[in-house]
Amino acid sequence: MAHHFSNQALGCFLLFSLVVPSLSTFFHDHFHGRFPIFKPIEPITFPKVGDVPPAEVHENNCNTTFANERLENAYVALQAWKKAIYSDPFNTTGNWVGYDVCSYNGLFCAPALDDPTLSVVAGIDLNNADIAGHLPKELSLLKDIALFHINSNRFCGIVPQSLENLAHVFEFDISNNHFVGGFPSVVLTWPSLKYLDIRYNKFVGALPPQLFEKDLDAIFLNNNHFTSIIPETLGKSKASVVNFANNKFSGCIPKSIGNMVNLNEIVFMGNRLGSCFPQELGLLQNVTVLDVSSNGLVGTLPNMSGLKNVEVIDIAHNKLSGYVSNTICQLPMLKNFTFSDNYFNAEAQSCIPSSNSLVCFDDSNNCLSGRNNQKTSMQCLPVLTRSADCNKHHGGGNGNSHVPSTPKPTPSPKDISRSSAPVPSPPVTFQSPLASVHSPPPPVHSPPPPVHSPTPPPNHSLP
């Protein structure tokens, strides 16, 4: 079978030839999926790449008998993929030879979902292998794949639209690579998809509204270059974890967010969101982590007394003002509340940081009278004397037209030392269609890749 070294692969080769990250061995008997530490990826520029044409049928001309036609198709797909790989420093694909595809590194076979008498390639786990290359169109022949994990490699180019044939994909993790182009819309065609992780790539443009209409449990979009608004369809999502962090989203937080009854963790950190907090945030009774820090939100805080299970609230680095009330600071499960770097000019006594408090508060760099580490009056007055315009930003968010102010009691002048410590978010468990396959998600607060890459922990792979 002749190999055609595509322009896409050639472009990737020229761009990645100097990237040499480090990593350790992986693959153990059972997949418990400890999320890997991301290694740093050098900035690169990709050539503009078109879509990959639909997959074609390839015939095997060797006089070899496969156990079934699906394993033969898998052999064709994997050989094409091996040829699309131009750097494999740890020789992970070194044993991708011969016709026993079930023995290939990173490949896992299981009985077919529609015919248990057939053994098929059901999972791929090449996490942390430092492989460089692209995804060829022939991967569409892997029609029985349920898990596709290739995070923390150097794959580049686009995600081929020809992969729409992969109807059994349940977990799709291509995070921490060099993929480009718009949102990989092919994932919208997969009826079984539950876990989507495309963070730490170079995807651009807008999100398709249909994304939040799919029955997904986890959506990780952070650390890309997405722009435009967050679609109002967000409220239709059944996901328990959604991460928008560190993109370029603008507009408002959609008011429909109040309909996300399954939501456990939501992160908007590090975008360009504006307008006011939607009052509907107070309806998220099951949320444990709420992070809207480092945006451009204005106005006062909504009533959050309905957040009975919230543990972490981070609203730092916005332009919020007004009063921080007991209804937030005395939430029953609260452990960490960061409202620093805003323009709040009053806070309840229970919100003042104290070494005796069970909750870590941070109220620094606001406009609070009698507190240390606050903004100057010259910084505060221009904001506090001007009414917040909640209609300034338009789009899918449709922010509040009016946010009423809460009466402002006299704040305590007593200076109390601050104590702040991060609280880890609880894990989320995902049920896979493959026996004994579990893929826990990465942490919601995604740290950037370290400058000096430590040796990643071992990954436990599928049996």
Side-chain angles (χ1 to χ4, degrees):
M1 184 170 57
H3 167 56
H4 302 280
F5 197 74
S6 69
N7 291 334
Q8 185 175 6
L10 179 60
C12 295
F13 175 77
L14 295 174
L15 292 164
F16 284 112
S17 58
L18 298 178
V19 182
V20 187
S22 65
L23 54 104
S24 65
T25 58
F26 60 105
F27 297 126
H28 288 264
D29 292 333
H30 296 87
F31 182 83
H32 297 292
R34 220 166 36 148
F35 192 77
I37 296 177
F38 284 155
K39 59 184 182 298
I41 297 180
E42 297 181 8
I44 57 172
T45 303
F46 290 92
K48 185 175 180 181
V49 183
D51 201 358
V52 178
E56 301 172 358
V57 177
H58 295 260
E59 294 184 0
N60 191 318
N61 296 321
C62 301
N63 296 322
T64 302
T65 301
F66 289 85
N68 58 65
E69 183 180 1
R70 300 186 193 187
L71 290 179
E72 181 176 4
N73 286 337
Y75 172 81
V76 173
L78 296 168
Q79 292 305 309
W81 197 4
K82 185 174 183 179
K83 292 177 181 178
I85 291 172
Y86 56 83
S87 177
D88 184 3
F90 297 94
N91 202 28
T92 303
T93 61
N95 75 334
W96 285 23
V97 294
Y99 308 109
D100 183 12
V101 294
C102 292
S103 68
Y104 287 9
N105 288 338
L107 271 293
F108 307 95
C109 291
L113 294 177
D114 60 337
D115 186 351
T117 65
L118 297 180
S119 178
V120 296
V121 175
I124 293 175
D125 185 347
L126 296 177
N127 291 348
N128 286 302
D130 197 24
I131 295 173
H134 70 274
L135 304 183
K137 62 182 181 179
E138 287 85 356
L139 290 180
S140 62
L141 296 171
L142 298 173
K143 295 183 180 180
D144 294 285
I145 285 290
L147 285 90
F148 191 86
H149 294 175
I150 58 169
N151 78 55
S152 301
N153 284 285
R154 291 178 288 144
F155 288 107
C156 66
I158 62 171
V159 178
Q161 189 64 31
S162 61
L163 301 186
E164 62 188 2
N165 294 328
L166 309 186
H168 298 298
V169 175
F170 186 83
E171 297 181 4
F172 188 65
D173 182 356
I174 59 171
S175 58
N176 201 36
N177 279 283
H178 292 290
F179 290 108
V180 297
F183 178 88
S185 59
V186 66
V187 305
L188 302 177
T189 67
W190 298 336
S192 301
L193 187 65
K194 290 289 185 182
Y195 178 94
L196 177 65
D197 190 347
I198 61 173
R199 60 184 179 160
Y200 286 101
N201 279 288
K202 301 182 183 299
F203 294 115
V204 300
L207 296 180
Q210 301 92 320
L211 172 62
F212 303 106
E213 297 175 336
K214 288 189 65 64
D215 187 14
L216 296 173
D217 192 28
I219 306 172
F220 292 94
L221 307 168
N222 50 298
N223 296 84
N224 280 284
H225 302 295
F226 290 119
T227 55
S228 189
I229 62 171
I230 295 175
E232 187 68 25
T233 53
L234 175 65
K236 296 182 179 181
S237 177
K238 299 178 182 178
S240 63
V241 179
V242 184
N243 196 327
F244 296 100
N246 300 320
N247 281 283
K248 300 176 182 179
F249 293 113
S250 59
C252 313
I253 297 175
K255 297 175 68 175
S256 65
I257 192 174
N259 298 325
M260 299 180 72
V261 295
N262 297 325
L263 189 61
N264 182 253
E265 302 179 4
I266 184 80
V267 181
F268 296 104
M269 167 181 73
N271 282 285
R272 301 172 181 176
L273 299 174
S275 190
C276 300
F277 267 104
Q279 296 285 350
E280 290 76 8
L281 275 175
L283 301 176
L284 300 176
Q285 297 184 17
N286 295 316
V287 75
T288 60
V289 174
L290 173 63
D291 188 341
V292 295
S293 60
S294 300
N295 280 284
L297 296 171
V298 299
T300 58
L301 294 177
N303 183 351
M304 295 188 181
S305 60
L307 306 184
K308 301 298 184 182
N309 290 293
V310 72
E311 298 178 7
V312 178
I313 301 177
D314 191 344
I315 57 174
H317 295 280
N318 281 285
K319 299 177 182 179
L320 299 164
S321 58
Y323 174 55
V324 184
S325 72
N326 282 324
T327 57
I328 300 178
C329 298
Q330 294 181 338
L331 286 167
M333 304 300 291
L334 188 63
K335 297 178 181 177
N336 192 312
F337 180 25
T338 302
F339 53 101
S340 59
D341 295 278
N342 281 285
Y343 292 85
F344 293 113
N345 60 342
E347 63 183 341
Q349 182 69 29
S350 61
C351 302
I352 298 176
S354 168
S355 58
N356 298 322
S357 175
L358 297 177
V359 182
C360 296
F361 294 107
D362 187 352
D363 64 357
S364 60
N365 204 31
N366 279 287
C367 302
L368 299 168
S369 176
R371 296 288 295 128
N372 289 333
N373 303 316
Q374 301 296 306
K375 289 183 170 72
T376 66
S377 58
M378 293 184 62
Q379 292 173 307
C380 293
L381 283 176
V383 175
L384 297 180
T385 57
R386 183 175 65 242
S387 298
D389 184 4
C390 294
N391 293 316
K392 182 177 180 180
H393 297 269
H394 301 282
N398 295 329
N400 302 20
S401 59
H402 175 66
V403 179
S405 299
T406 308
K408 304 172 184 178
T410 303
S412 169
K414 184 178 180 181
D415 292 338
I416 307 176
S417 61
R418 289 185 291 112
S419 173
S420 179
V423 178
S425 55
V428 182
T429 302
F430 298 90
Q431 186 61 43
S432 170
L434 293 181
S436 302
V437 177
H438 301 281
S439 181
V444 169
H445 293 278
S446 304
V451 175
H452 300 287
S453 177
T455 301
N459 272 335
H460 303 285
S461 286
L462 296 165

